[in-house]
Amino acid sequence: LLCACGTPSPDPFVSALPQPVIQPIPDSGELVQNVQPFVITLPVSHRTLTVLPGFRSDGTSIPQEFWSLVGVSPFDPDFLACAYAHDALFATQYIPRADCDDEFEALLDINSQRSSGLSDVFYEALRVGSGAAWNGKTPASIAAAQLLITLGP
């Protein structure tokens, strides 16, 4: 079984969420981009998030030296849709940071068949570690992201 990035998945877990179809971006380190539209209904607000091809993400932002420690890569199908949606919400800042994080947590809960313990770890790490990413967005970077990402009613 292959995950969305084409690497073997450790078990036959099937995500309850739609998965972005991604490809690595050459010479970008750990970044990927989606090659097809990614559409997901957010579980808290019930709004539709649409990410057009070309949006860049680092998945769950797990540094490579920790992949074996937590037992997953940043592109593991258990977490990829959750992280991709969260990255898109962060990039656009359509909604407040706390609401982005609440959507991430709810998406993790939907996909927690195999990973409930890690879901809690990822959520807490996100709350502690993502302030700089949120505050580092510029009006230009937000406007650029909003060209690729819509948040419908």
Side-chain angles (χ1 to χ4, degrees):
L1 183 67
L2 298 179
C3 80
C5 62
T7 60
S9 180
D11 63 37
F13 171 79
V14 176
S15 175
L17 300 170
Q19 294 292 304
V21 178
I22 58 173
Q23 68 181 16
I25 300 170
D27 303 318
S28 71
E30 305 290 327
L31 293 177
V32 298
Q33 65 184 359
N34 57 311
V35 296
Q36 296 177 4
F38 171 60
V39 180
I40 191 166
T41 300
L42 300 174
V44 175
S45 65
H46 305 287
R47 296 174 74 183
T48 301
L49 180 70
T50 302
V51 183
L52 297 177
F55 177 68
R56 295 174 171 218
S57 172
D58 65 353
T60 56
S61 306
I62 304 169
Q64 189 168 6
E65 57 270 18
F66 295 113
W67 293 5
S68 62
L69 180 66
V70 295
V72 297
S73 85
F75 310 108
D76 188 290
D78 285 359
F79 305 105
L80 180 61
C82 310
Y84 217 80
H86 186 264
D87 284 357
L89 291 170
F90 250 52
T92 59
Q93 296 192 357
Y94 284 136
I95 59 177
R97 177 183 171 210
D99 293 349
C100 295
D101 295 350
D102 289 346
E103 295 288 4
F104 178 74
E105 183 178 37
L107 289 166
L108 288 172
D109 288 345
I110 290 168
N111 243 28
S112 65
Q113 297 175 29
R114 166 171 87 97
S115 55
S116 59
L118 282 178
S119 294
D120 294 340
V121 170
F122 283 173
Y123 177 75
E124 291 305 320
L126 174 84
R127 289 300 302 154
V128 170
S130 64
W134 179 267
N135 295 329
K137 304 296 182 218
T138 65
S141 71
I142 292 168
Q146 290 176 349
L147 294 174
L148 292 175
I149 301 161
T150 59
L151 184 59

